[in-house]
Structure formats: structure tokens, C-alpha cells
Amino acid sequence: MSVRLLFRALFFALVVPGLALAQRPADAALFPRPPELKEAVEFWKRVFAAYGTDQGVVHDSEDLTVVYGVESLGSRAESGRDRERQRAQQSILSRYRRTLERFANSQVDTARLFGDDLRVWTALGKTTDPRRYRRALESLRLQVGQRDRFKRGLVASEPYLESVRGILRSHGVSDSLAVLPFIESAFNVRASSRAGAVGL
């Protein structure tokens, strides 16, 4: 399952209760919360509630229980900072890639670890198996925190949320879907994506 699809699936387990929407039996059947997703749900809760857009969570995209660290990305307040933040993200990922490559390609003295080396070694269960580090290289990812964006979305959703719920109910669709724009646009009516999607 792609990170994006997993993100959407987890969103309903995370955001719907957070918005104090009552989960009726029909909603529980449509959006079940399997125990196997518990750890992944906890990861996304932290992304939405603990970390702001000035922070990046460096993690394994296949196993969301593996978090290497939380890094500062700097503020977006100043114009023209997006490109700088993208460079910062790439720099952070490059650091962690180098660490994973060291563990994958040579015996590392685990008695003398510190910084990124210690975080990576600990996050991957203190293993010395180079195959584990090679696999981790393929699934290294940085997720930008969403706390402040989500808060703005809560405010921006006020004029629309009840209308959207009513429209969904009138078509026999679960009104829990009304919170989907929190992922896509945070209820920003001027939102546009690289893929060409626009609006809520």
C-alpha cells in the first residue's frame, strides 16, 4: 500500500474522532480500525498533533514504528523559503542515507555511536545485519509535520463542513467523508497541487 493511500486510510481513524464526530455503526463498518494499523495511526497522530510544518519526521515508509529523528526545517514565514526548505529536507535525507549506507557496507563499532548513527542503530533495533540497513535505504522518507496546517484547516472548514456533510448524507454517503479535505487542501479554497487538483 502506498504511503498516500495508507495516509488516507489512517486519516479516518485519526481525524474523525479528533473532530468529535460520532461514529455510528454504519461509519464503523465503512471505516474499520484494524488493530494492525494501531502503530501507524499513532505515527499519523503525532504528525498532525505534535509536529508543525517547521519540523520533519525522518522515518521508514514501510514500517511507521521506525522513526529515526525529528529535524528542524526552519520557518516558512518568509517568502521564497519553500525552495530553501526543500534543500533542507534533501540535506537531512542525505545525512540519514549516508548513515544507513555506512551500516549497510561495513562493520560499524556500535560501542562508539552518537548522533545520527546512534539514532539509526537504535531505531532499527540495534541490529548489525547489513541487509536490514540496505532495505531501510529503499524506504527512507521525511514527513513534514502538519499541526499548524491542521489547525488552520479547522478554522477554514467552519463555513463548509456542515453543508458538505448534508450533501453527502443526501446522497446516502457517510458524512465522515466530509473531513477528507483536511488531507488534500486543509479547506484552502485556493489550493492547487502539482498534479493539477484545485480547490477543497
Side-chain angles (χ1 to χ4, degrees), residues 67-69 71 94-104 106-127 133:
V67 173
Y68 302 113
E71 301 278 341
S94 292
R95 266 184 27 225
Y96 282 91
R97 253 186 229 104
R98 285 192 299 273
T99 296
L100 288 166
E101 285 167 354
R102 263 196 310 281
F103 278 98
S106 64
Q107 285 289 1
V108 177
D109 182 359
T110 56
R112 297 172 182 251
L113 297 179
F114 62 93
D116 293 344
D117 289 352
L118 180 59
R119 284 191 290 278
V120 165
W121 182 63
T122 304
L124 290 175
K126 299 183 177 180
T127 182
Y133 294 95

Short mmCIF file of all heavy atoms in Angstrom, two decimals, residues 67-69 71 94-104 106-127 133:
data_model
loop_
_atom_site.label_atom_id
_atom_site.label_comp_id
_atom_site.label_asym_id
_atom_site.label_seq_id
_atom_site.Cartn_x
_atom_site.Cartn_y
_atom_site.Cartn_z
N VAL A 67 11.15 5.38 13.49
CA VAL A 67 11.36 6.83 13.36
C VAL A 67 12.80 7.11 13.78
O VAL A 67 13.20 6.81 14.90
CB VAL A 67 10.37 7.62 14.24
CG1 VAL A 67 10.69 9.11 14.23
CG2 VAL A 67 8.93 7.39 13.77
N TYR A 68 13.56 7.68 12.86
CA TYR A 68 14.97 7.94 13.11
C TYR A 68 15.19 9.24 13.87
O TYR A 68 16.11 9.36 14.67
CB TYR A 68 15.74 8.01 11.79
CG TYR A 68 15.63 6.76 10.97
CD1 TYR A 68 14.96 6.76 9.75
CD2 TYR A 68 16.19 5.56 11.40
CE1 TYR A 68 14.85 5.61 8.99
CE2 TYR A 68 16.10 4.40 10.65
CZ TYR A 68 15.42 4.43 9.44
OH TYR A 68 15.32 3.29 8.70
N GLY A 69 14.36 10.24 13.60
CA GLY A 69 14.53 11.51 14.28
C GLY A 69 13.54 12.55 13.80
O GLY A 69 12.86 12.36 12.79
N GLU A 71 13.55 16.55 12.80
CA GLU A 71 14.53 17.56 12.43
C GLU A 71 13.85 18.91 12.18
O GLU A 71 12.71 18.97 11.72
CB GLU A 71 15.24 17.14 11.14
CG GLU A 71 15.96 15.81 11.24
CD GLU A 71 17.32 15.91 11.87
OE1 GLU A 71 17.87 17.04 11.92
OE2 GLU A 71 17.85 14.88 12.32
N SER A 94 19.87 13.10 2.96
CA SER A 94 21.22 12.70 2.55
C SER A 94 22.05 12.27 3.76
O SER A 94 22.79 11.28 3.70
CB SER A 94 21.93 13.84 1.83
OG SER A 94 21.31 14.09 0.60
N ARG A 95 21.93 13.00 4.85
CA ARG A 95 22.66 12.63 6.08
C ARG A 95 22.29 11.23 6.54
O ARG A 95 23.14 10.40 6.84
CB ARG A 95 22.30 13.61 7.21
CG ARG A 95 23.21 14.76 7.36
CD ARG A 95 22.85 15.64 8.55
NE ARG A 95 22.16 14.99 9.64
CZ ARG A 95 21.09 15.51 10.26
NH1 ARG A 95 20.57 16.67 9.90
NH2 ARG A 95 20.53 14.87 11.25
N TYR A 96 20.96 10.98 6.60
CA TYR A 96 20.49 9.67 7.07
C TYR A 96 20.85 8.57 6.06
O TYR A 96 21.16 7.45 6.47
CB TYR A 96 19.00 9.71 7.37
CG TYR A 96 18.69 10.36 8.70
CD1 TYR A 96 18.44 11.72 8.79
CD2 TYR A 96 18.70 9.62 9.88
CE1 TYR A 96 18.19 12.33 10.01
CE2 TYR A 96 18.44 10.21 11.10
CZ TYR A 96 18.18 11.57 11.17
OH TYR A 96 17.94 12.16 12.39
N ARG A 97 20.83 8.89 4.77
CA ARG A 97 21.24 7.91 3.74
C ARG A 97 22.70 7.50 3.95
O ARG A 97 23.03 6.31 3.89
CB ARG A 97 21.07 8.51 2.34
CG ARG A 97 19.91 7.91 1.61
CD ARG A 97 19.82 8.40 0.16
NE ARG A 97 18.46 8.81 -0.06
CZ ARG A 97 18.02 10.05 -0.11
NH1 ARG A 97 18.85 11.06 -0.03
NH2 ARG A 97 16.75 10.31 -0.28
N ARG A 98 23.55 8.49 4.19
CA ARG A 98 24.97 8.18 4.43
C ARG A 98 25.14 7.27 5.64
O ARG A 98 25.94 6.33 5.63
CB ARG A 98 25.77 9.47 4.61
CG ARG A 98 26.02 10.22 3.32
CD ARG A 98 27.05 11.33 3.49
NE ARG A 98 26.66 12.34 4.45
CZ ARG A 98 25.92 13.43 4.16
NH1 ARG A 98 25.49 13.63 2.92
NH2 ARG A 98 25.63 14.31 5.10
N THR A 99 24.37 7.54 6.68
CA THR A 99 24.44 6.70 7.89
C THR A 99 24.00 5.27 7.58
O THR A 99 24.68 4.31 7.93
CB THR A 99 23.57 7.30 9.01
OG1 THR A 99 24.10 8.58 9.37
CG2 THR A 99 23.54 6.41 10.23
N LEU A 100 22.87 5.14 6.89
CA LEU A 100 22.38 3.80 6.54
C LEU A 100 23.38 3.08 5.64
O LEU A 100 23.61 1.87 5.79
CB LEU A 100 21.01 3.90 5.85
CG LEU A 100 19.84 4.27 6.76
CD1 LEU A 100 18.63 4.68 5.93
CD2 LEU A 100 19.49 3.12 7.70
N GLU A 101 23.99 3.80 4.72
CA GLU A 101 24.99 3.19 3.82
C GLU A 101 26.20 2.69 4.60
O GLU A 101 26.75 1.61 4.29
CB GLU A 101 25.42 4.20 2.74
CG GLU A 101 24.37 4.38 1.67
CD GLU A 101 24.63 5.58 0.77
OE1 GLU A 101 25.57 6.37 1.04
OE2 GLU A 101 23.87 5.74 -0.20
N ARG A 102 26.64 3.46 5.60
CA ARG A 102 27.77 3.01 6.42
C ARG A 102 27.45 1.67 7.09
O ARG A 102 28.26 0.75 7.09
CB ARG A 102 28.10 4.06 7.49
CG ARG A 102 29.21 4.98 7.11
CD ARG A 102 29.79 5.75 8.29
NE ARG A 102 28.83 6.41 9.15
CZ ARG A 102 28.25 7.58 8.85
NH1 ARG A 102 28.52 8.19 7.72
NH2 ARG A 102 27.40 8.13 9.69
N PHE A 103 26.25 1.59 7.67
CA PHE A 103 25.86 0.34 8.33
C PHE A 103 25.67 -0.79 7.32
O PHE A 103 25.94 -1.95 7.62
CB PHE A 103 24.56 0.54 9.12
CG PHE A 103 24.74 1.17 10.46
CD1 PHE A 103 24.54 2.53 10.64
CD2 PHE A 103 25.12 0.41 11.56
CE1 PHE A 103 24.70 3.12 11.89
CE2 PHE A 103 25.28 0.98 12.81
CZ PHE A 103 25.08 2.35 12.98
N ALA A 104 25.22 -0.46 6.13
CA ALA A 104 24.97 -1.49 5.10
C ALA A 104 26.27 -2.01 4.49
O ALA A 104 26.32 -3.16 4.04
CB ALA A 104 24.07 -0.92 4.01
N SER A 106 29.64 -1.68 5.87
CA SER A 106 30.83 -2.01 6.68
C SER A 106 30.41 -2.30 8.11
O SER A 106 29.32 -1.94 8.54
CB SER A 106 31.81 -0.84 6.66
OG SER A 106 31.23 0.30 7.27
N GLN A 107 31.32 -2.95 8.82
CA GLN A 107 31.09 -3.19 10.23
C GLN A 107 31.32 -1.89 10.98
O GLN A 107 32.37 -1.27 10.86
CB GLN A 107 32.05 -4.27 10.75
CG GLN A 107 31.68 -5.67 10.31
CD GLN A 107 30.43 -6.17 11.02
OE1 GLN A 107 29.84 -5.47 11.84
NE2 GLN A 107 30.03 -7.38 10.71
N VAL A 108 30.32 -1.46 11.72
CA VAL A 108 30.42 -0.21 12.48
C VAL A 108 30.62 -0.56 13.95
O VAL A 108 29.99 -1.47 14.47
CB VAL A 108 29.14 0.63 12.29
CG1 VAL A 108 29.19 1.89 13.13
CG2 VAL A 108 28.94 0.98 10.82
N ASP A 109 31.52 0.16 14.59
CA ASP A 109 31.78 -0.06 16.02
C ASP A 109 30.60 0.52 16.81
O ASP A 109 30.51 1.73 17.02
CB ASP A 109 33.09 0.61 16.42
CG ASP A 109 33.43 0.38 17.89
OD1 ASP A 109 32.63 -0.28 18.61
OD2 ASP A 109 34.48 0.86 18.33
N THR A 110 29.69 -0.34 17.23
CA THR A 110 28.47 0.11 17.91
C THR A 110 28.73 0.65 19.31
O THR A 110 27.87 1.28 19.90
CB THR A 110 27.42 -1.02 17.97
OG1 THR A 110 28.00 -2.16 18.62
CG2 THR A 110 26.97 -1.41 16.57
N ALA A 111 29.93 0.43 19.82
CA ALA A 111 30.27 0.96 21.16
C ALA A 111 30.58 2.45 21.10
O ALA A 111 30.61 3.11 22.14
CB ALA A 111 31.45 0.20 21.74
N ARG A 112 30.80 2.98 19.90
CA ARG A 112 31.21 4.39 19.78
C ARG A 112 30.21 5.22 18.97
O ARG A 112 30.59 6.19 18.34
CB ARG A 112 32.58 4.47 19.10
CG ARG A 112 33.67 3.82 19.90
CD ARG A 112 34.94 3.75 19.10
NE ARG A 112 35.97 3.07 19.84
CZ ARG A 112 37.03 3.67 20.35
NH1 ARG A 112 37.20 4.95 20.18
NH2 ARG A 112 37.92 2.98 21.02
N LEU A 113 28.96 4.85 18.98
CA LEU A 113 27.96 5.56 18.17
C LEU A 113 27.46 6.81 18.86
O LEU A 113 27.32 6.86 20.09
CB LEU A 113 26.77 4.64 17.88
CG LEU A 113 27.06 3.38 17.06
CD1 LEU A 113 25.78 2.57 16.90
CD2 LEU A 113 27.65 3.73 15.71
N PHE A 114 27.15 7.84 18.06
CA PHE A 114 26.50 9.04 18.56
C PHE A 114 25.76 9.70 17.40
O PHE A 114 25.93 9.32 16.24
CB PHE A 114 27.51 10.01 19.21
CG PHE A 114 28.56 10.50 18.25
CD1 PHE A 114 28.37 11.70 17.57
CD2 PHE A 114 29.71 9.77 18.02
CE1 PHE A 114 29.33 12.16 16.67
CE2 PHE A 114 30.68 10.23 17.12
CZ PHE A 114 30.48 11.42 16.44
N GLY A 115 24.94 10.69 17.70
CA GLY A 115 24.22 11.44 16.68
C GLY A 115 23.34 10.57 15.80
O GLY A 115 22.65 9.67 16.29
N ASP A 116 23.38 10.84 14.47
CA ASP A 116 22.55 10.10 13.52
C ASP A 116 22.82 8.60 13.59
O ASP A 116 21.89 7.79 13.49
CB ASP A 116 22.80 10.57 12.08
CG ASP A 116 22.32 11.99 11.84
OD1 ASP A 116 21.54 12.53 12.66
OD2 ASP A 116 22.74 12.59 10.82
N ASP A 117 24.10 8.22 13.73
CA ASP A 117 24.45 6.79 13.79
C ASP A 117 23.72 6.10 14.93
O ASP A 117 23.13 5.03 14.75
CB ASP A 117 25.96 6.60 13.97
CG ASP A 117 26.75 6.98 12.73
OD1 ASP A 117 26.14 7.23 11.68
OD2 ASP A 117 27.99 7.00 12.82
N LEU A 118 23.74 6.71 16.10
CA LEU A 118 23.09 6.11 17.27
C LEU A 118 21.58 6.05 17.08
O LEU A 118 20.94 5.04 17.39
CB LEU A 118 23.45 6.91 18.53
CG LEU A 118 22.84 6.40 19.84
CD1 LEU A 118 23.27 4.96 20.11
CD2 LEU A 118 23.25 7.31 20.99
N ARG A 119 20.99 7.13 16.53
CA ARG A 119 19.53 7.14 16.31
C ARG A 119 19.11 6.06 15.33
O ARG A 119 18.12 5.36 15.55
CB ARG A 119 19.09 8.52 15.82
CG ARG A 119 19.04 9.58 16.93
CD ARG A 119 18.35 10.84 16.45
NE ARG A 119 19.14 11.57 15.47
CZ ARG A 119 20.13 12.40 15.78
NH1 ARG A 119 20.46 12.59 17.04
NH2 ARG A 119 20.79 13.04 14.84
N VAL A 120 19.85 5.92 14.23
CA VAL A 120 19.51 4.91 13.22
C VAL A 120 19.66 3.51 13.78
O VAL A 120 18.78 2.66 13.63
CB VAL A 120 20.37 5.10 11.94
CG1 VAL A 120 20.30 3.89 11.04
CG2 VAL A 120 19.92 6.36 11.20
N TRP A 121 20.77 3.25 14.44
CA TRP A 121 21.03 1.93 15.02
C TRP A 121 19.94 1.56 16.03
O TRP A 121 19.43 0.44 16.02
CB TRP A 121 22.41 1.95 15.68
CG TRP A 121 22.85 0.65 16.27
CD1 TRP A 121 23.07 -0.54 15.60
CD2 TRP A 121 23.14 0.39 17.64
NE1 TRP A 121 23.48 -1.51 16.48
CE2 TRP A 121 23.54 -0.97 17.74
CE3 TRP A 121 23.12 1.17 18.79
CZ2 TRP A 121 23.90 -1.56 18.95
CZ3 TRP A 121 23.49 0.59 19.99
CH2 TRP A 121 23.86 -0.76 20.07
N THR A 122 19.56 2.52 16.88
CA THR A 122 18.52 2.27 17.88
C THR A 122 17.16 2.06 17.22
O THR A 122 16.43 1.12 17.56
CB THR A 122 18.45 3.45 18.88
OG1 THR A 122 19.74 3.63 19.47
CG2 THR A 122 17.42 3.20 19.96
N ALA A 123 16.81 2.91 16.24
CA ALA A 123 15.50 2.81 15.58
C ALA A 123 15.33 1.48 14.86
O ALA A 123 14.21 0.96 14.76
CB ALA A 123 15.32 3.96 14.59
N LEU A 124 16.43 0.91 14.37
CA LEU A 124 16.35 -0.37 13.64
C LEU A 124 16.64 -1.56 14.55
O LEU A 124 16.99 -2.65 14.09
CB LEU A 124 17.29 -0.35 12.44
CG LEU A 124 16.83 0.58 11.32
CD1 LEU A 124 17.85 0.66 10.21
CD2 LEU A 124 15.47 0.15 10.77
N GLY A 125 16.45 -1.37 15.84
CA GLY A 125 16.52 -2.49 16.79
C GLY A 125 17.92 -2.94 17.14
O GLY A 125 18.14 -4.07 17.56
N LYS A 126 18.90 -2.05 16.96
CA LYS A 126 20.30 -2.32 17.32
C LYS A 126 20.85 -3.55 16.61
O LYS A 126 21.67 -4.29 17.15
CB LYS A 126 20.45 -2.44 18.84
CG LYS A 126 20.05 -1.16 19.56
CD LYS A 126 20.27 -1.25 21.05
CE LYS A 126 19.92 0.08 21.71
NZ LYS A 126 20.10 0.05 23.15
N THR A 127 20.39 -3.76 15.39
CA THR A 127 20.87 -4.89 14.61
C THR A 127 22.19 -4.55 13.92
O THR A 127 22.46 -3.38 13.65
CB THR A 127 19.83 -5.31 13.55
OG1 THR A 127 20.33 -6.44 12.84
CG2 THR A 127 19.55 -4.20 12.55
N TYR A 133 19.84 -2.68 6.85
CA TYR A 133 20.16 -1.30 6.52
C TYR A 133 19.99 -1.03 5.02
O TYR A 133 19.57 0.04 4.63
CB TYR A 133 21.57 -0.94 7.02
CG TYR A 133 21.63 -0.98 8.53
CD1 TYR A 133 22.06 -2.12 9.20
CD2 TYR A 133 21.19 0.10 9.28
CE1 TYR A 133 22.07 -2.16 10.59
CE2 TYR A 133 21.20 0.08 10.67
CZ TYR A 133 21.64 -1.07 11.32
OH TYR A 133 21.64 -1.11 12.69
#
